Amino acid sequence: MPTHSRLLRVGDTVRFDGRLHTVVALEGTAVRLVDEAVSASVVLLPHLLMSDGFEVVTAASPRMTVPASAVLEGLPPKAVERAEWWQRHLVEVLTGRPAHAPDGPVKTEYDPQVRSLRQRELAKAAEIAASGTAVSLTVLQDMRARFEREGILGLVDPRLRTVPDGTGRADRRVVAALRQVVDGQTGKSTVSAQVLRRRMERLVEAEHGPGVPLPSRATFYRLLAAVTAGRHTLGSARTRRSLAKQSDGMFGQLTASRPGEVMEIDSTPLDVLVVHEDGTVDTVEMTGLVDIATRTLAAAVLRPSTKAVDAALLLARAMTPEPMRPGWAEALRMSRSVLPHASLMAIDERLSKAAAIPVITPETIVCDRGKAYLSDTFRAACRSLGLSFQPCHPDTPTDKPHIESTLGSVATMFTQYLPGHKGRSTEHRGTDPASQPLWSIHQLQELLQEWIVIWQNRPHDGLRDPFMPERAMSPNEKYAALVAAAGYVPVPLGPQEYIGLLPREFRAINSYGVRIRHRTYDSPELTPFRRQPSGTGPGGRRWEVRYDPYDISRVWVRNHREGGWITALWRHLRTTPTPMGELAWDHTRRVLAERGTDPVTEQEIAQAAVDLLDRAADGPQEPPAKASPRSRKDRKVAARTRTTSAPSWPRPAPEPETEEAETEPENDSHETLADVVPLGIFDARKEAETWW
């Protein structure tokens, strides 16, 4: 046993309890040993050192085997030669063997088993001095410590080392100032490199005085390229701010094992011009709800601006079946999709006529901190549905990346095909996108609903089986797989529950019915309550009315006397053409042959998608111009006369038609409609001027 003490390291071979062991771990005062029979044991370090027969047989090799060419590349030749000279001497001090002969005999004066470290260092200092190079013991000890800590790179003069950040051997004060300038540029407008250079020079002078050498123009540009790599400092300010919001560490991974477990909601303006209900031409905002597990776009609505009631109604739409519309391809039916239609029919019979969009009941809703989502209305809707409400961190869009990506897909795969597309910025905008034949907001909502059904059958890159990563699944395929694996059973909302989530207003029931938003709604069931007080609500005279902002064809009046709801239809719904009826749909090109319950093919889905995008790109079919194209004012006036389409999603069954409605003349549909003549608004002051 050696008479001197030494450090015990991982990798040492020791003799303990009559057997050879290898030190595999050191934690505090505990030593983990593994013997020759691969049997592990844990021994306290004091007990190990005090035991009889303990001996360090073979010491672990120090960190000194890194090739010089791997870490000394780019350094001056003299610095490399000096580091290699020191390495040869220090290896001999630490191991007792020359660096060029690691398996050779151990020199007596450097034998670690019989000589202490200080004795070996004194012997080496004397040897170097005898060769004509004066090296003190303090310098040798410092070089030995740096060599054990950093390897051969620690033997190089720190002033000659290159920093592995792309800035080379530039003055650290200049680099630090440039980094500070670049960091401060994140939230500012984009400027040129010359402005950043001047800011850096002023900052260096303010912190270190005028004596710091500044880099040349070429050197500055190299430093700027290294410091701003991946930050878009000289590029798009929007991209720069977006990158700054990303997490500095590793991105987390949220895994949802069943549909509806986690869903994300968000709003974004679409880069397309539409005609609003008041006849004005402006952009529209889309609010969408995406399921993380299946990437299903469960619901999406278009509004001039998102309000709390729109976000609450979106939750209800995700929990109700999406019916097929007239003119949709048969390939888009749920009965012809991969969805488990037969098993879901036992839950809700409405699915027999539904489109291929799964009904998903949310469990957790993730949203940003917009006013529409933090409002009491949206929170109350979440509580009534039993949903967990989870706002994101402030100004952190990476907390809901799935809805951000989905809304971006809508912009690139749908919006760009529409007339009136104005691009994402003025740089990408055409001359006059408003001069094109524009869709109304209700017409565009119908096209979007059809596109979403096609989206559900499109392979999604984020839906890949870990065991078959080369094959991407569609949202409907993923939903079918999770339903079978997780035993998920969706519970759609009933009509009464759906109406309860709609926005409400209080209106009087007059002789002509109920009027909301300048539209009159009536029903025979309202007759006993005309001009009668309700007895509840503000003042006790008005009646509670629920309406759907996305379906103006009907409203629901609460029956305060007998309970339930009374469905009142819009008076002009049957006498005025609907927006979808105004379009010259080519049904023969779009409606596929009826094939019963045969599975839909990919070619049918692709053809339906092409037809939809072609129709969207053609724009609404307007009557031919007689002498000159219709002016913008004419289009606005015509837009005011447009109605909305038929009900878009399941509602309570409409009341049976009256005999008067059934006896309408058969030739009404063949009559030629007269041109719309815009009527001015009566102005009493202007009218009075004409009297004189």
Side-chain angles (χ1 to χ4, degrees):
M1 180 176 178
T3 57
H4 63 280
S5 61
R6 61 177 303 278
L7 294 176
L8 194 64
R9 302 178 180 177
V10 175
D12 287 351
T13 301
V14 299
R15 189 181 302 279
F16 170 67
D17 200 15
R19 301 192 308 273
L20 292 178
H21 297 75
T22 301
V23 180
V24 296
L26 292 170
E27 183 177 358
T29 59
V31 182
R32 185 176 180 83
L33 304 175
V34 176
D35 59 12
E36 297 175 328
V38 198
S39 177
S41 60
V42 179
V43 185
L44 294 177
L45 181 60
H47 174 72
L48 180 67
L49 298 178
M50 296 294 294
S51 61
D52 296 335
F54 171 75
E55 177 184 1
V56 178
V57 179
T58 305
S61 301
R63 295 171 49 194
M64 58 185 68
T65 59
V66 179
S69 59
V71 295
L72 303 181
E73 185 177 357
L75 293 175
K78 291 185 177 180
V80 175
E81 182 181 355
R82 183 68 174 175
E84 292 175 346
W85 179 84
W86 271 112
Q87 182 187 26
R88 291 193 297 269
H89 290 290
L90 294 175
V91 167
E92 196 171 29
V93 170
L94 295 173
T95 65
R97 295 180 174 87
H100 62 278
D103 297 330
V106 178
K107 292 186 177 181
T108 305
E109 61 271 26
Y110 302 120
D111 188 356
Q113 300 296 329
V114 297
R115 301 279 184 176
S116 65
L117 179 60
R118 182 175 179 81
Q119 291 174 338
R120 286 175 278 158
E121 290 174 344
L122 290 173
K124 178 56 68 175
E127 178 186 338
I128 295 176
S131 64
T133 303
V135 175
S136 65
L137 179 62
T138 303
V139 172
L140 190 144
Q141 291 175 336
D142 180 63
M143 298 299 287
R144 188 261 309 162
R146 288 163 52 184
F147 179 60
E148 289 186 314
R149 184 174 61 251
E150 305 178 42
I152 192 172
L153 189 61
L155 305 177
V156 180
D157 189 341
R159 295 171 296 181
L160 300 177
R161 301 185 196 178
T162 58
V163 181
D165 59 357
T167 59
R169 293 188 293 272
D171 194 308
R172 295 296 95 189
R173 296 171 292 182
V174 174
V175 175
L178 181 58
R179 292 187 185 278
Q180 185 175 347
V181 170
V182 170
D183 292 341
Q185 188 63 24
T186 300
K188 299 180 180 179
S189 301
T190 303
V191 296
S192 64
Q194 292 298 323
V195 176
L196 300 180
R197 182 182 181 186
R198 181 54 187 162
R199 293 177 182 174
M200 180 203 69
E201 292 175 351
R202 295 183 60 184
L203 184 59
V204 170
E205 184 176 356
E207 294 184 354
H208 306 286
V212 179
L214 299 176
S216 63
R217 184 175 182 272
T219 303
F220 170 77
Y221 275 101
R222 287 195 296 269
L223 291 177
L224 183 63
V227 172
T228 61
R231 305 183 63 173
H232 281 257
T233 302
L234 302 179
S236 170
R238 179 180 179 180
T239 304
R240 182 169 62 251
R241 292 191 298 269
S242 178
L243 293 175
K245 296 174 184 177
Q246 294 182 359
S247 174
D248 295 333
M250 183 180 65
F251 281 7
Q253 180 68 32
L254 178 61
T255 302
S257 59
R258 58 186 179 274
E261 183 178 1
V262 180
M263 303 185 75
E264 297 174 352
I265 186 173
D266 196 14
S267 303
T268 185
L270 295 182
D271 300 325
V272 62
L273 298 175
V274 301
V275 180
H276 292 274
E277 290 184 345
D278 58 356
T280 59
V281 176
D282 203 350
T283 56
V284 69
E285 193 168 278
M286 172 183 169
T287 302
L289 182 66
V290 171
D291 175 49
I292 292 182
T294 63
R295 301 299 196 274
T296 294
L297 188 55
V301 294
L302 302 178
R303 294 289 288 169
S305 61
T306 302
K307 299 181 180 179
V309 65
D310 302 323
L313 186 57
L314 195 67
L315 301 178
R317 290 196 57 191
M319 302 172 63
T320 54
E322 183 71 30
M324 290 287 294
R325 311 291 206 285
W328 282 15
E330 291 297 316
L332 304 183
R333 285 188 177 275
M334 180 181 290
S335 58
R336 302 193 60 198
S337 67
V338 298
L339 296 174
H341 174 262
S343 60
L344 296 177
M345 273 287 296
I347 303 175
D348 193 339
E349 295 182 355
R350 293 177 294 177
L351 297 177
S352 60
K353 300 180 180 180
I357 299 180
V359 178
I360 298 180
T361 303
E363 298 179 21
T364 301
I365 297 294
V366 179
C367 61
D368 57 21
R369 294 182 175 269
K371 294 182 179 179
Y373 307 119
L374 296 182
S375 63
D376 294 337
T377 302
F378 185 68
R379 289 175 178 266
C382 292
R383 287 195 299 268
S384 64
L385 296 174
L387 309 182
S388 175
F389 178 74
Q390 182 61 54
C392 298
H393 294 87
D395 201 23
T396 309
T398 53
D399 283 356
K400 47 180 180 57
H402 305 89
I403 183 63
E404 298 282 353
S405 176
T406 302
L407 295 180
S409 298
V410 175
T412 57
M413 300 172 59
F414 176 69
T415 307
Q416 292 184 3
Y417 291 88
L418 300 174
H421 177 253
K422 63 185 187 66
R424 64 177 183 269
S425 64
T426 55
E427 183 179 358
H428 299 82
R429 188 168 303 172
T431 304
D432 188 10
S435 62
Q436 304 175 20
L438 305 178
W439 295 101
S440 70
I441 187 172
H442 297 292
Q443 292 172 330
L444 189 58
Q445 178 72 58
E446 292 293 324
L447 293 174
L448 178 62
Q449 289 301 127
E450 187 175 358
W451 181 86
I452 291 175
V453 182
I454 298 173
W455 162 275
Q456 289 297 120
N457 294 275
R458 176 183 175 273
H460 195 292
D461 189 64
L463 300 176
R464 294 184 181 271
D465 194 320
F467 300 101
M468 296 183 296
E470 295 184 357
R471 182 182 182 276
M473 293 186 291
S474 67
N476 281 353
E477 291 175 338
K478 186 67 173 180
Y479 178 88
L482 290 182
V483 166
Y488 175 79
V489 178
V491 181
L493 284 181
Q496 303 297 326
E497 298 168 326
Y498 186 92
I499 295 175
L501 291 174
L502 296 177
R504 69 174 181 177
E505 291 189 7
F506 288 89
R507 290 290 188 270
I509 302 179
N510 298 305
S511 301
Y512 51 80
V514 178
R515 179 169 294 175
I516 290 183
R517 301 291 190 274
H518 307 289
R519 287 183 287 266
T520 303
Y521 299 85
D522 203 356
S523 171
E525 293 187 37
L526 296 179
T527 301
F529 312 118
R530 302 182 191 276
R531 302 182 302 277
Q532 299 296 319
S534 64
T536 60
R541 297 192 56 82
R542 299 187 177 186
W543 299 71
E544 180 184 351
V545 180
R546 299 275 181 168
Y547 67 96
D548 190 339
Y550 315 110
D551 180 10
I552 60 176
S553 63
R554 63 197 62 203
V555 297
W556 294 269
V557 182
R558 183 184 292 276
N559 189 339
H560 297 287
R561 308 289 174 80
E562 302 175 2
W565 298 91
I566 300 174
T567 303
L569 300 179
W570 186 23
R571 291 178 57 183
H572 297 286
L573 180 63
R574 302 185 49 171
T575 58
T576 307
T578 63
M580 305 307 287
E582 292 179 356
L583 308 178
W585 300 102
D586 188 357
H587 295 287
T588 59
R589 291 187 300 112
R590 296 186 301 100
V591 179
L592 306 178
E594 186 72 27
R595 301 200 314 173
T597 58
D598 293 344
V600 64
T601 63
E602 295 182 3
Q603 289 79 7
E604 291 175 312
I605 294 296
Q607 184 61 38
V610 171
D611 291 343
L612 168 64
L613 295 178
D614 287 345
R615 296 196 310 271
D618 293 340
Q621 304 296 324
E622 298 189 355
K626 296 181 180 180
S628 60
R630 300 171 64 189
S631 65
R632 183 175 181 180
K633 182 178 180 180
D634 292 338
R635 291 198 306 272
K636 289 185 178 180
V637 173
R640 294 190 181 100
T641 66
R642 293 176 179 171
T643 64
T644 185
S645 61
S648 301
W649 27 90
R651 298 290 186 271
E655 297 298 326
E657 299 179 353
T658 61
E659 296 182 358
E660 296 179 2
E662 296 178 354
T663 60
E664 292 181 358
E666 297 181 356
N667 59 351
D668 284 353
S669 59
H670 302 286
E671 294 180 358
T672 302
L673 298 179
D675 295 335
V676 177
V677 179
L679 299 178
I681 300 177
F682 177 79
D683 190 336
R685 296 182 181 275
K686 291 185 178 180
E687 184 69 17
E689 294 177 358
T690 62
W691 297 350
W692 308 100

